Amino acid sequence: MQKLFKWGATAVVAAGFCAVAGTANAADPIKIGAFLSATGPASFLGEPEKKTLEMYVHKLNKDGGVQGRKIELVVYDDGGAGDKASTFAKRLIESDKVDLIIGGSTTATTMAAVPLIERAGVPFISLAGAVVIVEPVKKWVFKTPHTDRMAAEKVFADMQKRGITKIGMISEDAGFGKSGRDQSLLVVKNYGIEIVADEVYSPKDPDVTAQLTKIKNAPGVQAVFNFGFGQGPAIVTKNFKQLGIAVPLYQSHGVASKDFIKLAGPAAEGVRLPAAGLVVPGQLAATDPQKPVVTAFKKEYEEAFKSDVSTFAGHAYDGLQIALAAILRAGSTDKAKVRDEIEKTSGYVGTGGLVSMSPTDHMGLSLSAFHMVEIKNGDWMLMKD
Amino acid sequence: MSAALLQYLFSGLTSGAIYALAGLGFAIIYNASHVINFAQGEFIMIGGMASATMVAAGVPMPLAIVLALLIAMAVGVILEKFAIEPARNADVVTIIIITIGASIFLRGAAQIIWDKEFHSLPAFSGENPIAVLGATLMPQSLWVVGVAGVVIVALWWFFNRTMFGKAMLATSHNRLAAQLVGVGVKKVLLASFALSALLGAVGGVVVTPITFTNYEAGIMLGLKGFSAAVLGGLGNGTGAIVGGLIVGIVEALASGYLSSAYKDAIAFIIILFVLFFMPNGLFGKRGTDRV
């Protein structure tokens, strides 16, 4: 209430709405808004996210909703464009009057909407990767996926364990790969590793053997690390094999989907990468708290959509669960209370890992959320420590 | 070090042959109508997507390829019939804008008809690299180069030795005069779209094992193909091939010896430089306007 009066000219109108909302009876639906990149270049993120949200909201409503209130889901497709994302965020806040927003499939769409959401004061759970979303901490902004920095740290920790000190880096010269490269350069020193060759490629280059030849000829390279997603890493993997480079190839979490193995074919054998437990549910130790969660989610998703579950679908699942748990604990959809409860999320076991947030950590995942896997016989194999 | 140079050249050859094949399609429609068809990349995408999805569905590869080519030709004909022909009296610029619209439409349709995932085809002659003096080349790259070569010979034969090909050239030089001597101008335009769609689809099929394909694969291939065609001289088949190879090899050498971050920029600088001194491209005829 207090906040609303700050809006000056619109205060009277706002207060009117507020009064209505204040006396909301139990039958009023909980309104959850989402803007996702269900089409466009990032549709491989947004589409499974949208399907997941819709499936679970439908399921929850069939089972009687939350606290006897139905959930109403409003989803907009931003096509991966930042300007559309901020327009839709505005529409969600001002005309749909949602209680909470999930979304921003990409870092670009998330960051485009952040200023608006911060001003309006609506709890917001992003499904995008980059560190900038939660660093520095923004009051209303949370996120569920691992960051690119964590992926780099996990990879470097694995290299360090295997005594690798000199590596070649090849990354995509755009968005995800670029941010991943920057984060890698930032943390690589902490692991006593030196990057002796640092090459890039454009997202749609048909051939990267030139860059890989340069890395191959750099003195002392003990491993190669590729940061990117889409067809790029598959081409890198194939060219890597073509050149017969004998050191291990590490990929980022950006390729943790079966499509990568399908595209790269036999060349993918032996590729190592950090991935969430969701891709290897069967191989997790029986004592792993994540095991039942990811096994159930994988089963439900694959039964409903007849397609392989991806970690991105898992991000949306985690976002929805964290949000609903917070609403449940808050006992209402009061925005400030829900925000505080999201921040107090502790020990939530999700598809991405164990989530414990705090006022200084709006993501709440630790490095243990990642598992190093190696591709063997066209499937993921958990690497032995 | 010479092995590295050879590897850079092979890398350039692989990309260059792909760009060249994409560039050839622009040449045909430009020859017949002076229109630059910006939906050319989408024909490449349709060839790749149609054959890849059919092979994945269990259709034998040769049959899938033939069907994919027929599908692309049908799309080319429909595009000409329903989008280009109704506007035949409009400016060339208007028609070019129509082709841009068509390319967006085709991309959207591909998303709905197929999906948004990447698809691949198995390589035609296996995945064992050929080693030459310490460098390696994939057999599929030779396929791309070979197909580009066959296409250029076939086109030369078509335009110089067949009645229909000559009629097409005649239409491009003077539409009214061609009509007066009995050339079916409408049919020629229709055929030029079918032919360039076929050519695009052939390119799509042979490059898919290397680059993979998805609904928007046509954007990059169209753009690079267009650069190749402009560099070689629009409307000239040999020019498109040479242009494509130059762009590909410059990119590879730039990323090998200078910096991979600037390779695209270096390729574009060379294109601009060539066009500055030779505005009609390397093999283009000087444009003459009769007053």
Side-chain angles (χ1 to χ4, degrees):
Chain A
M1 279 301 270
Q2 292 295 316
K3 254 191 132 49
L4 287 169
F5 284 107
K6 289 186 194 159
W7 287 6
T10 54
V12 180
V13 186
F17 276 116
C18 208
V20 175
T23 57
N25 54 44
D28 274 354
I30 297 170
K31 285 190 104 174
I32 294 181
F35 60 95
L36 302 166
S37 309
T39 60
S43 57
F44 67 98
L45 304 168
E47 205 189 5
E49 287 163 1
K50 178 167 179 263
K51 288 200 291 201
T52 304
L53 288 182
E54 284 168 351
M55 173 172 87
Y56 279 96
V57 165
H58 178 77
K59 209 175 126 196
L60 283 164
N61 282 340
K62 222 171 60 192
D63 298 344
V66 172
Q67 291 177 324
R69 293 170 69 182
K70 294 269 182 211
I71 303 163
E72 192 185 326
L73 181 69
V74 187
V75 183
Y76 293 118
D77 173 17
D78 59 40
D83 55 333
K84 279 198 205 163
S86 81
T87 308
F88 285 134
K90 200 177 165 91
R91 194 187 294 178
L92 287 171
I93 296 165
E94 289 177 6
S95 70
D96 297 317
K97 304 203 183 319
V98 295
D99 299 309
L100 181 140
I101 298 175
I102 294 177
S105 302
T106 71
T107 301
T109 55
T110 296
M111 293 312 283
V114 158
L116 251 152
I117 290 171
E118 279 286 291
R119 231 177 301 138
V122 181
F124 174 47
I125 301 178
S126 166
L127 308 179
V131 177
V132 292
I133 297 168
V134 288
E135 231 171 73
V137 171
K138 297 163 196 68
K139 187 174 177 203
W140 298 90
V141 182
F142 302 85
K143 82 190 225 37
T144 56
H146 322 91
T147 64
D148 36 13
R149 184 188 299 169
M150 288 168 65
E153 284 173 335
K154 189 79 185 177
V155 165
F156 292 145
D158 186 75
M159 289 175 172
Q160 190 181 33
K161 210 166 58 194
R162 288 161 211 280
I164 293 170
T165 53
K166 282 184 175 174
I167 63 162
M169 173 122 202
I170 179 163
S171 54
E172 182 181 284
D173 194 14
F176 180 78
K178 207 170 195 163
S179 159
R181 174 182 170 271
D182 293 346
Q183 296 301 327
S184 300
L185 295 185
L186 212 65
V187 297
V188 69
K189 290 249 153 50
N190 307 343
Y191 295 87
I193 295 171
E194 187 192 349
I195 295 178
V196 290
D198 182 12
E199 298 293 324
V200 297
Y201 59 89
S202 307
K204 294 193 171 173
D205 278 355
D207 187 284
V208 296
T209 48
Q211 288 92 321
L212 286 173
T213 302
K214 225 174 152 184
I215 292 177
K216 186 185 176 186
N217 290 339
V221 170
Q222 292 167 294
V224 177
F225 182 24
N226 177 208
F227 225 115
F229 66 50
Q231 87 270 49
I235 290 177
V236 168
T237 307
K238 278 187 137 183
N239 288 171
F240 193 84
K241 174 99 172 186
Q242 178 194 334
L243 293 175
I245 302 178
V247 301
L249 175 62
Y250 286 81
Q251 291 281 357
S252 73
H253 57 315
V255 303
S257 82
K258 275 284 169 67
D259 284 333
F260 169 73
I261 299 182
K262 220 164 56 194
L263 282 182
E269 288 298 303
V271 168
R272 299 167 182 175
L273 60 132
L278 185 56
V279 306
V280 282
Q283 299 172 39
L284 293 177
T287 50
D288 194 315
Q290 257 194 293
K291 191 169 176 121
V293 177
V294 292
T295 311
F297 176 62
K298 186 178 158 77
K299 188 162 160 277
E300 280 174 357
Y301 186 92
E302 290 178 355
E303 266 172 16
F305 302 116
K306 308 277 173 273
S307 62
D308 283 336
V309 70
S310 70
T311 45
F312 317 121
H315 300 329
Y317 172 84
D318 291 346
L320 186 67
Q321 298 298 332
I322 290 173
L324 293 178
I327 289 173
L328 215 58
R329 287 197 303 271
S332 77
T333 48
D334 181 86
K335 294 188 177 69
K337 275 193 207 151
V338 172
R339 188 214 83 90
D340 293 346
E341 286 303 329
I342 295 177
E343 197 168 71
K344 283 182 206 149
T345 298
S346 168
Y348 163 73
V349 184
T351 65
L354 226 62
V355 181
S356 292
M357 299 202 193
S358 72
T360 53
D361 182 2
H362 276 192
M363 172 178 67
L365 288 166
S366 70
L367 272 194
S368 64
F370 270 133
H371 303 270
M372 284 305 292
V373 299
E374 188 168 342
I375 298 171
K376 285 239 172 78
N377 302 321
D379 206 353
W380 317 106
M381 286 297 289
L382 214 52
M383 280 171 83
K384 300 267 180 303
D385 284 331
Chain B
M1 215 52 223
S2 70
L5 173 63
L6 197 60
Q7 188 62 58
Y8 298 148
L9 290 177
F10 282 170
S11 173
L13 186 70
T14 304
S15 319
I18 291 168
Y19 303 157
L21 212 44
L24 272 176
F26 284 94
I28 296 184
I29 291 186
Y30 185 79
N31 258 342
S33 60
H34 284 255
V35 167
I36 293 160
N37 174 26
F38 278 106
Q40 188 62 34
E42 272 55 48
F43 292 146
I44 302 175
M45 176 272 289
I46 289 171
M49 285 294 275
S51 54
T53 47
M54 277 190 280
V55 167
V59 181
M61 191 139 100
L63 180 65
I65 291 174
V66 172
L67 286 175
L69 300 186
L70 290 177
I71 289 171
M73 276 174 85
V75 172
V77 168
I78 292 168
L79 176 66
E80 200 280 339
K81 200 82 196 154
F82 295 103
I84 310 293
E85 207 176 290
R88 66 182 174 279
N89 293 324
D91 265 5
V92 166
V93 177
T94 312
I95 297 180
I96 291 177
I97 293 171
I98 291 176
T99 67
I100 296 177
S103 76
I104 297 170
F105 169 78
L106 289 176
R107 267 197 303 265
Q111 271 187 64
I112 296 168
I113 295 170
W114 291 299
D115 51 27
K116 297 162 197 160
E117 313 288 325
F118 285 100
H119 295 273
S120 182
L121 270 177
F124 299 173
S125 335
E127 303 254 5
N128 292 325
I130 305 165
V132 187
L133 299 172
T136 53
L137 185 67
M138 295 306 274
Q140 190 67 26
S141 304
L142 293 179
W143 271 98
V144 178
V145 177
V147 166
V150 169
V151 163
I152 187 91
V153 172
L155 282 181
W156 178 86
W157 174 81
F158 177 73
F159 280 116
N160 290 293
R161 290 286 179 273
T162 67
M163 205 51 182
F164 200 79
K166 288 179 182 173
M168 226 177 214
L169 276 186
T171 310
S172 89
H173 287 300
N174 192 326
R175 193 188 176 112
L176 185 64
Q179 207 163 11
L180 285 175
V181 296
V183 173
V185 170
K186 264 194 191 173
K187 226 191 291 171
V188 162
L189 210 56
L190 200 62
S192 75
F193 267 83
L195 193 62
S196 72
L198 172 69
L199 209 62
V202 167
V205 169
V206 291
V207 307
T208 297
I210 301 178
T211 64
F212 313 123
T213 188
N214 76 340
Y215 73 97
E216 49 173 28
I219 302 178
M220 186 284 282
L221 289 169
L223 207 66
K224 289 283 168 83
F226 179 65
S227 318
V230 169
L231 180 62
L234 263 177
N236 186 308
T238 320
I241 301 258
V242 175
L245 289 175
I246 292 179
V247 173
I249 290 174
V250 164
E251 279 181 4
L253 290 179
S255 49
Y257 289 118
L258 298 165
S259 152
S260 46
Y262 295 113
K263 70 177 172 49
D264 290 332
I266 292 166
F268 279 117
I269 287 171
I270 289 192
I271 292 174
L272 284 178
F273 197 70
V274 168
L275 292 181
F276 189 70
F277 292 104
M278 305 171 79
N280 296 299
L282 295 170
F283 292 83
K285 290 188 204 72
R286 283 266 296 281
T288 45
D289 277 320
R290 199 165 295 185
V291 188

